[in-house]
Amino acid sequence: MKITIIGTGYVGLVTGACFAEVGHNVICVDNDAQKVRVLQSGGIPNYEPGLEEIVQKNVDEGRLRFTESTQDGVENSDVIFIAVPTPPQQDGSVDLSFIEKVAREIATYMKSYKIVVDKSTVPVKTGEKVAETLRRYTKTNVDCDVVSNPEFLREGFAVEDFLRPERIVIGVFSQRPVKAMKEIYAPFNAPIIVTDINSAELIKHAANSFLAMKISYINAISVICESTGADVIEVANGIGMDSRIGRRFLDAGIGFGGSCFPKDLSAFIKISEEIGYDFRLLKEVRRINAEQMDRFIKKITDTIWVLKDKTIGVLGLAFKQNTDDVRMSPAIELCKRLQKTGTKLRVHDPKAMEKARAVLTNVTYVEDMNNVAEGCDALVIATEWEIFKKLDLERARKSMTHPIMFDGRNLFDPEEMEKLGWIYKSVGRK
Ligand code: UDX
């Protein structure tokens, strides 16, 4: 199939590269000239495991190319995927101006039948607006179909998730584009759900809100655990073995962040409000998430007392492991709130230091995770990077003023830590 992807952000680039990887011919369009140049010269703008390799391989083998020209992309493909940002606005609603602009551009350059697929996360009923826009702005009378095909990629695992999806959701107005969509996804051997376009759009918001709810649920349980001497990991394991619940997304900590959950939750609350439903359940999910951070900071202040002029080492800046993304990162929020108390920070992240420098200043960036603790009054784990489990605990302990660790991601075993001489405080455990 000849496919064009408009927008080479996290989602667009992974989609383009993975489609090429399974044999489709792909053009990736981006209006950011600098980004296109980076991609054309073999680089990738964001760290994503496995992505650079498949981009390079498919460019070399002639199945993937990059351009700034939407016209080129539209004229030289049958199926056009829209993967542009849908950023949040002040009131929580979604800014759809990039989607609208791209729809207008596609309409302008469309000279034959096209399938226009929305991959960006959008409010329910956006597909109807995209279809209207395409009809309104086409110069010729050519026909097109609009499809909703939400993505469920996790950053850090996006390539793996794309190549081995648990399901593909295809939302359509009519059966006409279904055959081509199934053909595009045939190489992935995944169950395909064909549904109406509004349901497809809702599936995305409903899925992300549910996952956020799972995290807030276990975080609420962690509060009960702390006041009763129970262990949240034991509870998560115990409930997670029930296949109706499942163990994943039951890791308590300092809360969820990133460019999806907070934004999608607010958008879903707003969409519901607009249709007259007060989604109080999701408002509570958001509140629990915010309180989880407050509680963690209180734990630090209760233990250390005066934070002013103390030095705290922070391991982790990315919003989660395996990514360099610091957007809406709980780790960055934590650092900023500690800075407000006059605390000095020594910080490290295996991948996100470069991106963090733009949003977090007046801290000491430490290249080696084993040097972070030096001279610190406490050490904080803010991101769940696996590599932090390999921290040289003995060296860290000896180099600190006081060996206190606040583990916001429950990476270590409390008993072990005590044995090693640490004052160890984690989330939802003794
Ligand atoms: C999410 C969805 O998982 C994905 O399907 C969707 O397409 C985009 O949004 P992503 O934002 O990449 O993916 O990250 P995810 O792995 O879901 O983690 C989100 C946040 O939740 C992170 O801050 C993570 O640290 C936190 N989290 C996750 C927890 O606190 N506990 C958990 O058990 C799981």
Side-chain angles (χ1 to χ4, degrees):
M1 298 287 286
K2 279 154 70 182
I3 296 172
T4 281
I5 318 282
I6 302 185
T8 56
Y10 280 102
V11 172
L13 187 57
V14 171
T15 304
C18 291
F19 277 156
E21 177 71 8
V22 298
H24 300 307
N25 285 305
V26 181
I27 304 171
C28 282
V29 180
D30 204 291
N31 60 5
D32 180 340
Q34 164 71 12
K35 205 183 218 183
V36 170
R37 266 197 302 279
V38 169
L39 288 162
Q40 281 169 338
S41 61
I44 59 163
N46 301 308
Y47 170 73
E48 186 62 49
L51 184 58
E52 195 161 353
E53 293 84 331
I54 61 165
V55 167
Q56 272 167 13
K57 177 177 160 222
N58 285 282
V59 168
D60 291 348
E61 292 173 7
R63 283 187 301 272
L64 178 64
R65 67 178 174 90
F66 300 96
T67 175
E68 262 181 85
S69 162
T70 307
Q71 180 169 6
D72 174 9
V74 174
E75 286 178 357
N76 294 302
S77 63
D78 311 306
V79 184
I80 302 152
F81 283 77
I82 304 177
V84 293
T86 49
Q89 304 188 108
Q90 274 295 323
D91 64 354
S93 66
V94 178
D95 177 359
L96 293 170
S97 57
F98 296 113
I99 299 264
E100 194 259 359
K101 183 171 161 279
V102 168
R104 273 191 285 127
E105 283 173 6
I106 295 171
T108 316
Y109 302 124
M110 213 162 59
K111 293 196 187 101
S112 56
Y113 169 76
K114 305 284 172 193
I115 298 174
V116 178
V117 188
D118 174 44
K119 235 192 195 313
S120 306
T121 302
V122 292
V124 57
K125 288 185 163 297
T126 301
E128 289 178 6
K129 294 284 180 207
V130 170
E132 256 173 57
T133 307
L134 287 165
R135 274 195 300 272
R136 194 172 305 144
Y137 289 90
T138 36
K139 291 193 181 117
T140 52
N141 255 350
V142 292
D143 214 357
C144 68
D145 274 305
V146 173
V147 173
S148 163
N149 173 219
E151 56 81 19
F152 304 102
L153 311 176
R154 294 162 303 160
E155 281 180 29
F157 301 92
V159 172
E160 196 184 309
D161 284 353
F162 200 99
L163 294 174
R164 274 171 288 281
E166 288 184 345
R167 85 297 205 186
I168 306 289
V169 175
I170 294 173
V172 288
F173 287 113
S174 76
Q175 289 302 304
R176 188 167 55 173
V178 172
K179 190 167 165 273
M181 290 302 296
K182 282 190 170 170
E183 225 172 288
I184 289 176
Y185 279 106
F188 300 97
N189 289 320
I192 296 182
I193 300 164
V194 178
T195 183
D196 64 280
I197 205 151
N198 289 339
S199 301
E201 287 168 343
L202 262 181
I203 285 170
K204 175 65 197 243
H205 271 132
N208 270 2
S209 301
F210 190 90
L211 292 169
M213 183 177 77
K214 256 187 118 172
I215 301 169
S216 277
Y217 183 78
I218 202 67
N219 280 336
I221 298 284
S222 80
V223 180
I224 313 281
C225 287
E226 279 183 20
S227 21
T228 55
D231 185 322
V232 75
I233 294 184
E234 298 293 322
V235 177
N237 290 342
I239 62 174
M241 281 172 83
D242 184 331
S243 62
R244 291 170 303 175
I245 298 173
R247 178 61 180 84
R248 294 170 74 190
F249 280 72
L250 284 180
D251 292 323
I254 53 171
F256 57 78
S259 63
C260 289
F261 284 174
K263 177 190 106 169
D264 290 354
L265 208 52
S266 294
F268 207 21
I269 290 169
K270 189 75 190 160
I271 294 160
S272 309
E273 195 182 296
E274 278 162 13
I275 55 170
Y277 179 65
D278 183 7
F279 216 145
R280 292 188 299 275
L281 178 65
L282 295 188
K283 286 181 180 169
E284 194 56 28
V285 167
R286 206 165 49 179
R287 198 172 68 90
I288 292 170
N289 198 50
E291 283 177 2
Q292 200 66 4
M293 178 66 79
D294 297 344
R295 207 169 283 112
F296 191 71
I297 289 173
K298 186 168 181 305
K299 203 174 278 175
I300 299 176
T301 43
D302 282 353
T303 312
I304 297 190
W305 189 28
V306 175
L307 284 177
K308 192 168 182 298
D309 296 330
K310 298 287 186 311
T311 303
I312 293 187
V314 178
L315 286 169
L317 298 167
F319 83 96
K320 62 169 196 179
Q321 67 166 330
N322 278 339
T323 179
D324 63 354
D325 196 349
V326 293
R327 289 175 296 172
M328 300 288 288
S329 169
I332 299 280
E333 189 196 331
L334 176 71
C335 287
K336 288 192 169 168
R337 287 182 59 172
L338 288 174
Q339 275 185 318
K340 278 199 188 128
T341 64
T343 316
K344 297 187 194 93
L345 299 178
R346 292 170 58 77
V347 303
H348 169 82
D349 189 282
K351 291 283 175 203
M353 297 224 276
E354 203 183 309
K355 293 221 164 125
R357 278 178 214 273
V359 289
L360 185 67
T361 49
N362 295 324
V363 300
T364 307
Y365 285 92
V366 184
E367 285 305 321
D368 182 342
M369 71 172 181
N370 284 312
N371 291 337
V372 173
E374 231 168 81
C376 285
D377 297 278
L379 195 58
V380 170
I381 309 278
T383 308
E384 63 273 33
W385 282 100
E386 273 295 309
I387 189 136
F388 293 159
K389 289 185 182 165
K390 299 208 170 86
L391 185 73
D392 186 338
L393 289 165
E394 191 52 13
R395 178 171 151 195
R397 191 178 65 84
K398 284 187 178 147
S399 69
M400 293 173 72
T401 320
H402 303 288
I404 307 176
M405 184 188 286
F406 298 96
D407 184 354
R409 295 294 178 183
N410 288 348
L411 294 189
F412 296 100
D413 179 64
E415 271 177 36
E416 281 296 309
M417 290 300 279
E418 247 165 67
K419 269 193 218 147
L420 294 172
W422 286 84
I423 297 167
Y424 177 73
K425 310 232 172 215
S426 52
V427 179
R429 300 186 296 170
K430 272 174 263 172

